[in-house]
Amino acid sequence: MRFVADLHIHSKYSRACSRDCDLEHLTWWARRKGISLVGTGDFTHPAWYDHLSENLVEASPGLFRLREDLDRDIDRRLPPSLATAPVRFMLSVEISTIYKRGDRTRKVHHLIYMPDLSSAARFNARLAKIGNLGSDGRPILGLDSRDLLEITLECGGYLVPAHVWTPWFAVLGSKSGFDAIEDCYVDLASHIFAVETGLSSDPDMNWRVSGLDKYRLVSNSDAHSPPVLGREATVFDTELDYYSVRAALETGDGFAGSLEFFPEEGKYHVDGHRKCGVRMEPEETLAHNGICPECGKPLTVGVLSRVEELADRPSGSRPEGAAGFTSLVPLPEIVSEIVGTGPKSKKVLAEIDKLTAALGPELVILQDVPVDDIAVHSTLLAEAVTRLRRGEVVRDSGYDGEYGVITVFEPGELERRRAAFSLFDYAAPVTPAVERPRPAPVPAAVPVAAVPKAVGSSLLDGLDPEQRAAAEVDGGPLLIIAGPGTGKTRTLTHRIADLVTSRGVPAAECLAITFTRRAAEEMAERLAALAPAHASAVTVATFHALGVLILREHYASVGLSASFGVADPDRQLAVALSVVADEKEARGLIAAGDDRYKKALRAQDLVDFDDLISLPLSLLEDSPALVTAYRSRWRWVSVDEYQDVDEQQYRLLRLLAPPDGNLTAIGDPDQAIYRFRGADVGFFLRFQEDFPAARTVHLTRNYRSSTPVVTGALEVIAPSSLVPGRELRPMVDHGSAPIGVHHASSESAEAAFVARTIEQVLGGASFHAFDSGRVVSDGTQNLGFSDFAVLYRTDRQSRALVEALTQSGLPFQKRSHDRLADRPGVARIANDLKFATGNTVLDRVRAVAGDDHTAYELLKPLAVACDTDFERFHTTLALGVEVDTWDPRADSISLLTLHASKGLEFPVVFIVGCEDGLLPMRWPGTDDQEAVDEERRLLFVGMTRAQRHLFLSHSAGRPKSPFLGALKAFDQLGDAQPRRKRKGTQLSLL
C-alpha cells in the first residue's frame, strides 16, 4: 500500500501553535491533503496524553485512529471525494535537548516515536524526572542527545534527528550542532537509521554528504497548525502499521521517498542578517568572512552554506539506491498567487474547497490529476501545475528566519495576462508593489536625525492612499477617524511597524494601548508579522495591563509589596465583609470605592480592578518627575478605539503624552457604544482642542460591506452622526442584495424567520428543507454556517433563537461573556493553589482540581500560558479574562449581542428585535437623548458587521424601531403588518 505520512506535527499544547491542533482538525486536514499517517505530536504533555488516551483507538499494530463517533462527524463535513479515506496516528513527540559537551553548548531537536500508549507512559515517567513536561508540548530538557536516545530505546521506541540542518537547533546545525550524526549519538549512533532533512534542504543537497548515505532521508511538515500538514511529507509503500514503517526506515525496503518544499522557501536556506536586510549566497559569505557588512556581527549561516562546508561530493550526485523526491508548492499558495489574496484568505479557501471536492485531495491534484481535468476549473491553475511538475518555478531564497518565496509565474506575468483570463470567476489580481529583500551587497543605511518622512517604504506599499497618508504622518499628535471596515488596526500596526523598521524609532519607545486582551493579542501578532525583529520590544497593553505594569514598577509608592495581588470579585466581597457585616452594604462599599474598603484591601496587599487605573493616575499626577520619566520612555503612544476612553483613562493619556507629543489616536465617534461603562465620546471630539497641533486623517474606504449595506448604515447614523460630512465608500464587490426588513407576529415567529432564511440563503441544510418547501434552490453563494451571525440587544432575546435553530437542526454557538473566575470550581482552584505542590501553574491546577474536570479544562489554557508565573495567573483571572468558548472559525452560526459584535464581520447578519423599547432601549421615566443617540450608534455598529446580506427584523407587541424610518431602500420580507389569526366565531343560524 502506497501512502503519504507526516510524522512531525504539534498539538495545541505546544507554544505558538494553533488551537485547532487537535485530533479532529488534524484528521479533517489529513483527508483534505491526502495524508494517511500523521504523528500525534506532543505525547509527553500530560493533558495531550490524556486526550490521546481518551479519543484514539488501536487501528493496526502500533497505529491508532480517531474514535468512531468523532470520525463519522468529520466525514459528514467532507465531500465524498475526501471522506472515509483512512487516517492513522503514530505516537510522536519532538524533544529539545540543550546541554554542554566538549566545551560547547549543544542544542539538538529529536523526534521520538512509540508503538503504544503504555510505552509512551513509561517514556514520559522517565523524562518527568528530568524536566517539566507540562509547560510545553515540545519539552526542553537538559539531557545529552545520546542519553535521550538510550531512554527511547529502553522504552521500545525509535529516534529520528529533527530538521538536521537548522542552524540553531539541529544535529548538523551551524550554530550548535555536530559535524556528523555519529559525533552526537556516539556509541548508540548505530540505532539511528533516518534523519529529517528540514524545510531548508532537500535530498539533492543531502546527497552531497556521503556520511548521510546510510540514513533514510525523511521529510515532515513540522506543522504548528493543521492547514500546513503535508507541506513536506514522506512516502511509504508498505503495510499501514508502526512496525512496517519502522522496518522501511531501517532497511529502505518500502521507503518510497519524500515530498519536499523547494528548499529556497525554507527560512534558513541561505546566509544573512534579517535585522540588517542582508542576504548572501555561500560564496558571498566566504568573501565577507562570515561577517555582516552592515553591523559587523557574524551572519546566520544557512543550510546551503553548511551543506557546502560538510559536502564531499559535487552538486548533482546521487547515491546508488537512494529514494527519489518530488518538490511541490502547496496548492493554497499557487491559488493565492493566481487570485491575488493571501493563502489563508476566504477566497483561496473557497476555491480549494471546490477543487478538492471535484478532483480529490490537494497532494493528488498537485501530482496525479491530469492537467486537462484541472483546466476544466482553471486554465491558469493547469498551467501552474504543469510548470510545477517540470520544476519551473521562480525562487527567492529564505534567510535568517525569513521564509523564502516560490512562485510559478514570473513577476508581472499575471498582470500582463489579465485581459486573457478569469480564474474561478475572479478578475486577475493587480500585483502589489512589494519589494522583497534583495541579495547582498545591501545599500548603506542613510543616517537619520529626528524622524524623516517614510519614502517608498515597502511596509506601506500595501496600504490604500488614505491608510498610507495616516501611516506616513511624522511626529506630533495625530487623530485618525476610521469608519467601520476601513482597516483601522491594519493602519495602526503598519504605522508602528514602519516607525521602528524604516524611520529609526526605537521599538522600546513605542506604547500601543487597546481596550481588550483579544485586541492586544491581535495587535501584537500583527506587529510580530510586520516587524519580527522589533515587535517584542513594543509595549502592547490594555489600559488595565498598563496599570499593572506601572504599579509593579512603583509598588512601594502606593503602600504595596512587590508581590501584591489583584482581588477578583469574590475576594473583594470578602474584604468588604471584613469591614461591614451586611452583604448588601459590603457591595455598596465596593461600588463606592469606600475608604474603609480600600484600607482593608491594602492591609491584605491587594488592589481591585478600579485601582489599576486610579492608583497609577494618582502616582503620575503627584509626581512630575515620574511623568517626565514615562514620557521619555514611551515617546510614541498609540491608542486604539479612542472613542471608548473614560475620564480616568483620558487623564492618564494626557499625562503620558504632552500636547505636542507623538500621540496617535484612532477610532470612530459614531461607534462609541460603551457609555454604560463610563466611556465618554466627548474626549474624542475635543482631541483638536487638547492637542492644537494635531493632524486629522479620515479613513473612508470600506473593505467589508456591500453597497446597499454601507448606504443603509449611513442613512441610519445620519440623524445623529458625530462625524461632519460622514463619508463611507464601499470598495469591494459583495453583490447588490438589498437590506431585508421583516415584521414578525411574535418573538418566536421572528426566530423562525431567522432559521428559515438561513436555510434559504444556504440552499438548504437538510432533505426536510426541500421536502417541506422551506427551500426551493440549492444555494449558489458558497456560504457555510460560520458565515452567519444573529445579533440582538439583550441576552434574553437569544432564548427564542436557540429554540428555533435547534428545531431546525442548524448548528450554532452562543458567545460567552462569562468571566472565567465566575465559573463553578474556578475560584476554589485559584484560591487553593498556594497549598498545592508543583513547579508550574498547570501542575498545581491539576493537583487541586481533582475530579472537577470541567474547571480544570477551563483553566488549563491559561495555566499552560502562565507556565511558572503564578502572579500572572492570578492577575489575569482577576482582570476578568473571559471564558474562551467562542471560535470564529467554528462551522456554526454565531449568536451574540450587538455590543459583542464590535470588531467582527460576517457575510450574512441578522439583527433581531429592532423595536422601540429594545433598540433603542428605553428605561421607564427617562428622557435621555444622548442615550438614544448611542443606541442609534449601536445599530450602526451592528449593520456594518455585514458583508453581503443584512436582515433587520421586529415583531408585534412593540412599535417598530424609529431608527428603521431612516432607511430609504430595502426589501420588505413578508407582510409589513402580519395578520393575526381570527378567533373562531359561532355561525349565525340565518
Side-chain angles (χ1 to χ4, degrees), residues 613-651:
I613 303 297
S614 62
L615 290 179
L617 180 60
S618 298
L619 275 174
L620 291 172
E621 288 181 335
D622 293 341
S623 175
L626 199 56
V627 170
T628 301
Y630 278 115
R631 286 181 175 180
S632 176
R633 175 173 173 180
W634 292 313
R635 297 179 183 276
W636 297 82
V637 180
S638 303
V639 186
D640 194 11
E641 305 287 8
Y642 190 70
Q643 77 278 353
D644 292 331
V645 298
D646 62 25
E647 188 263 343
Q648 288 194 327
Q649 293 163 344
Y650 167 76
R651 286 163 54 197

mmCIF file of all heavy atoms in Angstrom, residues 613-651:
data_model
loop_
_atom_site.group_PDB
_atom_site.id
_atom_site.type_symbol
_atom_site.label_atom_id
_atom_site.label_comp_id
_atom_site.label_asym_id
_atom_site.label_seq_id
_atom_site.Cartn_x
_atom_site.Cartn_y
_atom_site.Cartn_z
ATOM 1 N N ILE A 613 -6.297 51.651 37.406
ATOM 2 C CA ILE A 613 -6.232 52.929 36.690
ATOM 3 C C ILE A 613 -6.024 54.076 37.678
ATOM 4 O O ILE A 613 -5.174 54.940 37.465
ATOM 5 C CB ILE A 613 -7.511 53.178 35.868
ATOM 6 C CG1 ILE A 613 -7.732 52.028 34.882
ATOM 7 C CG2 ILE A 613 -7.414 54.503 35.110
ATOM 8 C CD1 ILE A 613 -6.657 51.859 33.850
ATOM 9 N N SER A 614 -6.788 54.068 38.777
ATOM 10 C CA SER A 614 -6.752 55.215 39.690
ATOM 11 C C SER A 614 -5.407 55.368 40.393
ATOM 12 O O SER A 614 -4.918 56.492 40.571
ATOM 13 C CB SER A 614 -7.882 55.105 40.721
ATOM 14 O OG SER A 614 -7.734 53.941 41.516
ATOM 15 N N LEU A 615 -4.798 54.264 40.804
ATOM 16 C CA LEU A 615 -3.511 54.372 41.503
ATOM 17 C C LEU A 615 -2.384 54.865 40.597
ATOM 18 O O LEU A 615 -1.635 55.780 40.978
ATOM 19 C CB LEU A 615 -3.156 53.041 42.159
ATOM 20 C CG LEU A 615 -4.007 52.628 43.362
ATOM 21 C CD1 LEU A 615 -3.568 51.273 43.896
ATOM 22 C CD2 LEU A 615 -3.931 53.684 44.468
ATOM 23 N N PRO A 616 -2.197 54.285 39.390
ATOM 24 C CA PRO A 616 -1.182 54.860 38.501
ATOM 25 C C PRO A 616 -1.462 56.318 38.168
ATOM 26 O O PRO A 616 -0.524 57.128 38.063
ATOM 27 C CB PRO A 616 -1.273 53.981 37.251
ATOM 28 C CG PRO A 616 -1.808 52.682 37.740
ATOM 29 C CD PRO A 616 -2.772 53.049 38.828
ATOM 30 N N LEU A 617 -2.745 56.666 38.017
ATOM 31 C CA LEU A 617 -3.098 58.048 37.729
ATOM 32 C C LEU A 617 -2.673 58.959 38.876
ATOM 33 O O LEU A 617 -2.073 60.022 38.653
ATOM 34 C CB LEU A 617 -4.604 58.146 37.484
ATOM 35 C CG LEU A 617 -5.160 59.534 37.166
ATOM 36 C CD1 LEU A 617 -4.527 60.092 35.907
ATOM 37 C CD2 LEU A 617 -6.680 59.459 36.999
ATOM 38 N N SER A 618 -2.960 58.553 40.115
ATOM 39 C CA SER A 618 -2.549 59.354 41.278
ATOM 40 C C SER A 618 -1.036 59.477 41.352
ATOM 41 O O SER A 618 -0.497 60.558 41.669
ATOM 42 C CB SER A 618 -3.087 58.722 42.565
ATOM 43 O OG SER A 618 -4.488 58.700 42.561
ATOM 44 N N LEU A 619 -0.341 58.364 41.084
ATOM 45 C CA LEU A 619 1.121 58.397 41.102
ATOM 46 C C LEU A 619 1.662 59.455 40.146
ATOM 47 O O LEU A 619 2.541 60.259 40.500
ATOM 48 C CB LEU A 619 1.676 57.029 40.699
ATOM 49 C CG LEU A 619 1.831 55.956 41.768
ATOM 50 C CD1 LEU A 619 2.244 54.645 41.114
ATOM 51 C CD2 LEU A 619 2.878 56.386 42.793
ATOM 52 N N LEU A 620 1.147 59.452 38.934
ATOM 53 C CA LEU A 620 1.650 60.376 37.921
ATOM 54 C C LEU A 620 1.232 61.819 38.214
ATOM 55 O O LEU A 620 2.024 62.748 38.018
ATOM 56 C CB LEU A 620 1.145 59.945 36.543
ATOM 57 C CG LEU A 620 1.743 58.633 36.007
ATOM 58 C CD1 LEU A 620 1.031 58.195 34.741
ATOM 59 C CD2 LEU A 620 3.226 58.793 35.730
ATOM 60 N N GLU A 621 0.010 62.007 38.683
ATOM 61 C CA GLU A 621 -0.449 63.367 38.968
ATOM 62 C C GLU A 621 0.318 63.990 40.125
ATOM 63 O O GLU A 621 0.471 65.217 40.190
ATOM 64 C CB GLU A 621 -1.945 63.348 39.266
ATOM 65 C CG GLU A 621 -2.795 63.099 38.027
ATOM 66 C CD GLU A 621 -4.286 63.112 38.291
ATOM 67 O OE1 GLU A 621 -4.689 62.843 39.446
ATOM 68 O OE2 GLU A 621 -5.053 63.382 37.349
ATOM 69 N N ASP A 622 0.830 63.147 41.019
ATOM 70 C CA ASP A 622 1.564 63.658 42.176
ATOM 71 C C ASP A 622 3.065 63.753 41.935
ATOM 72 O O ASP A 622 3.794 64.236 42.804
ATOM 73 C CB ASP A 622 1.319 62.755 43.397
ATOM 74 C CG ASP A 622 -0.122 62.802 43.881
ATOM 75 O OD1 ASP A 622 -0.826 63.768 43.524
ATOM 76 O OD2 ASP A 622 -0.540 61.880 44.604
ATOM 77 N N SER A 623 3.541 63.285 40.789
ATOM 78 C CA SER A 623 4.987 63.245 40.572
ATOM 79 C C SER A 623 5.341 63.698 39.161
ATOM 80 O O SER A 623 5.380 62.884 38.228
ATOM 81 C CB SER A 623 5.525 61.827 40.810
ATOM 82 O OG SER A 623 6.897 61.753 40.501
ATOM 83 N N PRO A 624 5.622 64.983 38.981
ATOM 84 C CA PRO A 624 6.058 65.451 37.655
ATOM 85 C C PRO A 624 7.286 64.708 37.147
ATOM 86 O O PRO A 624 7.432 64.485 35.937
ATOM 87 C CB PRO A 624 6.360 66.938 37.901
ATOM 88 C CG PRO A 624 5.527 67.311 39.089
ATOM 89 C CD PRO A 624 5.499 66.084 39.949
ATOM 90 N N ALA A 625 8.173 64.309 38.064
ATOM 91 C CA ALA A 625 9.375 63.582 37.646
ATOM 92 C C ALA A 625 9.009 62.232 37.031
ATOM 93 O O ALA A 625 9.617 61.782 36.051
ATOM 94 C CB ALA A 625 10.307 63.381 38.839
ATOM 95 N N LEU A 626 7.997 61.585 37.613
ATOM 96 C CA LEU A 626 7.561 60.294 37.083
ATOM 97 C C LEU A 626 6.909 60.475 35.714
ATOM 98 O O LEU A 626 7.106 59.654 34.802
ATOM 99 C CB LEU A 626 6.578 59.642 38.055
ATOM 100 C CG LEU A 626 6.357 58.132 37.919
ATOM 101 C CD1 LEU A 626 7.665 57.370 38.033
ATOM 102 C CD2 LEU A 626 5.359 57.648 38.962
ATOM 103 N N VAL A 627 6.147 61.545 35.558
ATOM 104 C CA VAL A 627 5.546 61.852 34.261
ATOM 105 C C VAL A 627 6.638 62.023 33.213
ATOM 106 O O VAL A 627 6.577 61.477 32.106
ATOM 107 C CB VAL A 627 4.677 63.122 34.352
ATOM 108 C CG1 VAL A 627 4.263 63.583 32.953
ATOM 109 C CG2 VAL A 627 3.437 62.868 35.199
ATOM 110 N N THR A 628 7.672 62.787 33.581
ATOM 111 C CA THR A 628 8.787 63.005 32.653
ATOM 112 C C THR A 628 9.465 61.694 32.289
ATOM 113 O O THR A 628 9.823 61.454 31.126
ATOM 114 C CB THR A 628 9.812 63.966 33.284
ATOM 115 O OG1 THR A 628 9.165 65.214 33.590
ATOM 116 C CG2 THR A 628 10.975 64.212 32.334
ATOM 117 N N ALA A 629 9.621 60.817 33.273
ATOM 118 C CA ALA A 629 10.294 59.539 33.026
ATOM 119 C C ALA A 629 9.497 58.673 32.052
ATOM 120 O O ALA A 629 10.067 58.093 31.118
ATOM 121 C CB ALA A 629 10.490 58.793 34.347
ATOM 122 N N TYR A 630 8.175 58.583 32.238
ATOM 123 C CA TYR A 630 7.375 57.763 31.339
ATOM 124 C C TYR A 630 7.233 58.401 29.957
ATOM 125 O O TYR A 630 7.177 57.704 28.945
ATOM 126 C CB TYR A 630 6.004 57.479 31.952
ATOM 127 C CG TYR A 630 6.032 56.324 32.929
ATOM 128 C CD1 TYR A 630 5.780 56.511 34.281
ATOM 129 C CD2 TYR A 630 6.338 55.042 32.490
ATOM 130 C CE1 TYR A 630 5.829 55.447 35.181
ATOM 131 C CE2 TYR A 630 6.385 53.965 33.363
ATOM 132 C CZ TYR A 630 6.137 54.180 34.717
ATOM 133 O OH TYR A 630 6.190 53.118 35.591
ATOM 134 N N ARG A 631 7.177 59.734 29.910
ATOM 135 C CA ARG A 631 7.141 60.385 28.597
ATOM 136 C C ARG A 631 8.435 60.136 27.831
ATOM 137 O O ARG A 631 8.440 60.009 26.602
ATOM 138 C CB ARG A 631 6.906 61.881 28.763
ATOM 139 C CG ARG A 631 5.480 62.243 29.142
ATOM 140 C CD ARG A 631 5.301 63.747 29.276
ATOM 141 N NE ARG A 631 3.898 64.094 29.523
ATOM 142 C CZ ARG A 631 3.458 65.341 29.676
ATOM 143 N NH1 ARG A 631 4.306 66.362 29.605
ATOM 144 N NH2 ARG A 631 2.170 65.558 29.894
ATOM 145 N N SER A 632 9.548 60.072 28.568
ATOM 146 C CA SER A 632 10.831 59.781 27.937
ATOM 147 C C SER A 632 10.900 58.323 27.508
ATOM 148 O O SER A 632 11.473 57.989 26.464
ATOM 149 C CB SER A 632 11.969 60.101 28.903
ATOM 150 O OG SER A 632 13.220 59.742 28.353
ATOM 151 N N ARG A 633 10.297 57.438 28.299
ATOM 152 C CA ARG A 633 10.338 56.010 27.991
ATOM 153 C C ARG A 633 9.474 55.683 26.777
ATOM 154 O O ARG A 633 9.887 54.906 25.902
ATOM 155 C CB ARG A 633 9.854 55.236 29.205
ATOM 156 C CG ARG A 633 9.729 53.729 29.016
ATOM 157 C CD ARG A 633 9.398 53.111 30.353
ATOM 158 N NE ARG A 633 9.085 51.693 30.287
ATOM 159 C CZ ARG A 633 8.772 50.952 31.360
ATOM 160 N NH1 ARG A 633 8.742 51.530 32.556
ATOM 161 N NH2 ARG A 633 8.498 49.683 31.228
ATOM 162 N N TRP A 634 8.257 56.237 26.760
ATOM 163 C CA TRP A 634 7.343 55.977 25.656
ATOM 164 C C TRP A 634 7.092 57.279 24.907
ATOM 165 O O TRP A 634 6.154 58.020 25.213
ATOM 166 C CB TRP A 634 6.026 55.408 26.170
ATOM 167 C CG TRP A 634 6.164 54.021 26.748
ATOM 168 C CD1 TRP A 634 6.818 52.965 26.201
ATOM 169 C CD2 TRP A 634 5.620 53.549 27.992
ATOM 170 N NE1 TRP A 634 6.733 51.860 27.012
ATOM 171 C CE2 TRP A 634 5.995 52.182 28.125
ATOM 172 C CE3 TRP A 634 4.860 54.120 29.004
ATOM 173 C CZ2 TRP A 634 5.643 51.410 29.217
ATOM 174 C CZ3 TRP A 634 4.493 53.357 30.086
ATOM 175 C CH2 TRP A 634 4.887 52.009 30.191
ATOM 176 N N ARG A 635 7.930 57.554 23.928
ATOM 177 C CA ARG A 635 7.811 58.801 23.172
ATOM 178 C C ARG A 635 6.749 58.709 22.080
ATOM 179 O O ARG A 635 6.338 59.724 21.529
ATOM 180 C CB ARG A 635 9.166 59.158 22.546
ATOM 181 C CG ARG A 635 10.267 59.421 23.564
ATOM 182 C CD ARG A 635 11.583 59.756 22.886
ATOM 183 N NE ARG A 635 12.655 59.931 23.844
ATOM 184 C CZ ARG A 635 12.917 61.061 24.497
ATOM 185 N NH1 ARG A 635 12.156 62.118 24.280
ATOM 186 N NH2 ARG A 635 13.905 61.125 25.360
ATOM 187 N N TRP A 636 6.351 57.481 21.760
ATOM 188 C CA TRP A 636 5.355 57.264 20.702
ATOM 189 C C TRP A 636 4.215 56.430 21.277
ATOM 190 O O TRP A 636 4.377 55.253 21.560
ATOM 191 C CB TRP A 636 5.996 56.548 19.509
ATOM 192 C CG TRP A 636 7.077 57.369 18.881
ATOM 193 C CD1 TRP A 636 8.365 57.494 19.287
ATOM 194 C CD2 TRP A 636 6.936 58.218 17.731
ATOM 195 N NE1 TRP A 636 9.049 58.359 18.465
ATOM 196 C CE2 TRP A 636 8.196 58.812 17.499
ATOM 197 C CE3 TRP A 636 5.880 58.513 16.873
ATOM 198 C CZ2 TRP A 636 8.420 59.704 16.455
ATOM 199 C CZ3 TRP A 636 6.100 59.393 15.814
ATOM 200 C CH2 TRP A 636 7.345 59.979 15.616
ATOM 201 N N VAL A 637 3.079 57.072 21.468
ATOM 202 C CA VAL A 637 1.928 56.424 22.096
ATOM 203 C C VAL A 637 0.799 56.316 21.068
ATOM 204 O O VAL A 637 0.454 57.291 20.412
ATOM 205 C CB VAL A 637 1.445 57.210 23.332
ATOM 206 C CG1 VAL A 637 0.242 56.514 23.963
ATOM 207 C CG2 VAL A 637 2.570 57.356 24.349
ATOM 208 N N SER A 638 0.251 55.126 20.940
ATOM 209 C CA SER A 638 -0.877 54.897 20.031
ATOM 210 C C SER A 638 -2.036 54.324 20.834
ATOM 211 O O SER A 638 -1.840 53.418 21.647
ATOM 212 C CB SER A 638 -0.496 53.915 18.921
ATOM 213 O OG SER A 638 0.622 54.377 18.188
ATOM 214 N N VAL A 639 -3.219 54.838 20.603
ATOM 215 C CA VAL A 639 -4.402 54.385 21.339
ATOM 216 C C VAL A 639 -5.468 53.958 20.345
ATOM 217 O O VAL A 639 -5.889 54.748 19.494
ATOM 218 C CB VAL A 639 -4.965 55.485 22.262
ATOM 219 C CG1 VAL A 639 -6.093 54.919 23.119
ATOM 220 C CG2 VAL A 639 -3.880 56.073 23.128
ATOM 221 N N ASP A 640 -5.867 52.698 20.461
ATOM 222 C CA ASP A 640 -6.931 52.166 19.609
ATOM 223 C C ASP A 640 -8.284 52.429 20.273
ATOM 224 O O ASP A 640 -8.380 52.495 21.493
ATOM 225 C CB ASP A 640 -6.709 50.660 19.430
ATOM 226 C CG ASP A 640 -7.539 50.087 18.302
ATOM 227 O OD1 ASP A 640 -8.127 50.869 17.533
ATOM 228 O OD2 ASP A 640 -7.594 48.846 18.183
ATOM 229 N N GLU A 641 -9.324 52.574 19.456
ATOM 230 C CA GLU A 641 -10.694 52.793 19.950
ATOM 231 C C GLU A 641 -10.749 53.981 20.920
ATOM 232 O O GLU A 641 -11.314 53.908 22.012
ATOM 233 C CB GLU A 641 -11.232 51.522 20.628
ATOM 234 C CG GLU A 641 -11.177 50.268 19.776
ATOM 235 C CD GLU A 641 -12.222 50.253 18.669
ATOM 236 O OE1 GLU A 641 -12.890 51.281 18.470
ATOM 237 O OE2 GLU A 641 -12.349 49.212 18.002
ATOM 238 N N TYR A 642 -10.184 55.106 20.490
ATOM 239 C CA TYR A 642 -10.084 56.272 21.373
ATOM 240 C C TYR A 642 -11.453 56.795 21.792
ATOM 241 O O TYR A 642 -11.590 57.432 22.837
ATOM 242 C CB TYR A 642 -9.289 57.381 20.669
ATOM 243 C CG TYR A 642 -8.913 58.539 21.563
ATOM 244 C CD1 TYR A 642 -7.965 58.385 22.572
ATOM 245 C CD2 TYR A 642 -9.501 59.792 21.400
ATOM 246 C CE1 TYR A 642 -7.610 59.446 23.392
ATOM 247 C CE2 TYR A 642 -9.146 60.859 22.217
ATOM 248 C CZ TYR A 642 -8.213 60.682 23.208
ATOM 249 O OH TYR A 642 -7.864 61.731 24.020
ATOM 250 N N GLN A 643 -12.479 56.498 20.998
ATOM 251 C CA GLN A 643 -13.814 56.980 21.357
ATOM 252 C C GLN A 643 -14.348 56.324 22.626
ATOM 253 O O GLN A 643 -15.354 56.768 23.187
ATOM 254 C CB GLN A 643 -14.796 56.744 20.204
ATOM 255 C CG GLN A 643 -15.285 55.310 20.036
ATOM 256 C CD GLN A 643 -14.313 54.431 19.271
ATOM 257 O OE1 GLN A 643 -13.319 54.915 18.743
ATOM 258 N NE2 GLN A 643 -14.592 53.149 19.183
ATOM 259 N N ASP A 644 -13.691 55.250 23.098
ATOM 260 C CA ASP A 644 -14.198 54.492 24.240
ATOM 261 C C ASP A 644 -13.482 54.821 25.551
ATOM 262 O O ASP A 644 -13.733 54.156 26.558
ATOM 263 C CB ASP A 644 -14.068 52.986 23.967
ATOM 264 C CG ASP A 644 -14.995 52.526 22.852
ATOM 265 O OD1 ASP A 644 -16.057 53.152 22.680
ATOM 266 O OD2 ASP A 644 -14.651 51.558 22.145
ATOM 267 N N VAL A 645 -12.595 55.840 25.578
ATOM 268 C CA VAL A 645 -11.891 56.147 26.824
ATOM 269 C C VAL A 645 -12.846 56.787 27.826
ATOM 270 O O VAL A 645 -13.785 57.501 27.460
ATOM 271 C CB VAL A 645 -10.675 57.072 26.598
ATOM 272 C CG1 VAL A 645 -9.644 56.419 25.707
ATOM 273 C CG2 VAL A 645 -11.103 58.419 26.037
ATOM 274 N N ASP A 646 -12.597 56.480 29.103
ATOM 275 C CA ASP A 646 -13.365 57.152 30.151
ATOM 276 C C ASP A 646 -12.519 58.274 30.749
ATOM 277 O O ASP A 646 -11.389 58.530 30.310
ATOM 278 C CB ASP A 646 -13.830 56.158 31.216
ATOM 279 C CG ASP A 646 -12.686 55.479 31.944
ATOM 280 O OD1 ASP A 646 -11.569 56.039 32.009
ATOM 281 O OD2 ASP A 646 -12.887 54.355 32.460
ATOM 282 N N GLU A 647 -13.065 58.922 31.776
ATOM 283 C CA GLU A 647 -12.417 60.134 32.307
ATOM 284 C C GLU A 647 -11.035 59.845 32.892
ATOM 285 O O GLU A 647 -10.081 60.583 32.651
ATOM 286 C CB GLU A 647 -13.340 60.754 33.363
ATOM 287 C CG GLU A 647 -12.887 62.116 33.864
ATOM 288 C CD GLU A 647 -12.118 62.030 35.166
ATOM 289 O OE1 GLU A 647 -12.220 60.987 35.828
ATOM 290 O OE2 GLU A 647 -11.409 62.994 35.514
ATOM 291 N N GLN A 648 -10.887 58.757 33.642
ATOM 292 C CA GLN A 648 -9.591 58.441 34.228
ATOM 293 C C GLN A 648 -8.582 58.009 33.170
ATOM 294 O O GLN A 648 -7.404 58.385 33.235
ATOM 295 C CB GLN A 648 -9.743 57.362 35.294
ATOM 296 C CG GLN A 648 -10.411 57.853 36.577
ATOM 297 C CD GLN A 648 -10.228 56.856 37.712
ATOM 298 O OE1 GLN A 648 -10.179 55.657 37.490
ATOM 299 N NE2 GLN A 648 -10.148 57.358 38.924
ATOM 300 N N GLN A 649 -9.021 57.222 32.203
ATOM 301 C CA GLN A 649 -8.126 56.813 31.128
ATOM 302 C C GLN A 649 -7.672 58.021 30.315
ATOM 303 O O GLN A 649 -6.505 58.110 29.903
ATOM 304 C CB GLN A 649 -8.829 55.794 30.228
ATOM 305 C CG GLN A 649 -9.101 54.467 30.922
ATOM 306 C CD GLN A 649 -10.129 53.633 30.187
ATOM 307 O OE1 GLN A 649 -10.863 54.131 29.335
ATOM 308 N NE2 GLN A 649 -10.204 52.343 30.524
ATOM 309 N N TYR A 650 -8.584 58.958 30.130
ATOM 310 C CA TYR A 650 -8.255 60.191 29.418
ATOM 311 C C TYR A 650 -7.186 60.982 30.163
ATOM 312 O O TYR A 650 -6.199 61.437 29.571
ATOM 313 C CB TYR A 650 -9.531 61.012 29.247
ATOM 314 C CG TYR A 650 -9.332 62.447 28.809
ATOM 315 C CD1 TYR A 650 -9.020 62.751 27.490
ATOM 316 C CD2 TYR A 650 -9.473 63.490 29.721
ATOM 317 C CE1 TYR A 650 -8.854 64.065 27.083
ATOM 318 C CE2 TYR A 650 -9.315 64.808 29.321
ATOM 319 C CZ TYR A 650 -8.998 65.095 28.013
ATOM 320 O OH TYR A 650 -8.823 66.389 27.611
ATOM 321 N N ARG A 651 -7.360 61.112 31.454
ATOM 322 C CA ARG A 651 -6.366 61.854 32.251
ATOM 323 C C ARG A 651 -5.012 61.154 32.224
ATOM 324 O O ARG A 651 -3.961 61.807 32.154
ATOM 325 C CB ARG A 651 -6.855 61.997 33.688
ATOM 326 C CG ARG A 651 -7.988 63.020 33.858
ATOM 327 C CD ARG A 651 -8.728 62.851 35.166
ATOM 328 N NE ARG A 651 -7.862 62.868 36.326
ATOM 329 C CZ ARG A 651 -8.211 62.427 37.535
ATOM 330 N NH1 ARG A 651 -9.433 61.911 37.705
ATOM 331 N NH2 ARG A 651 -7.377 62.490 38.541
#
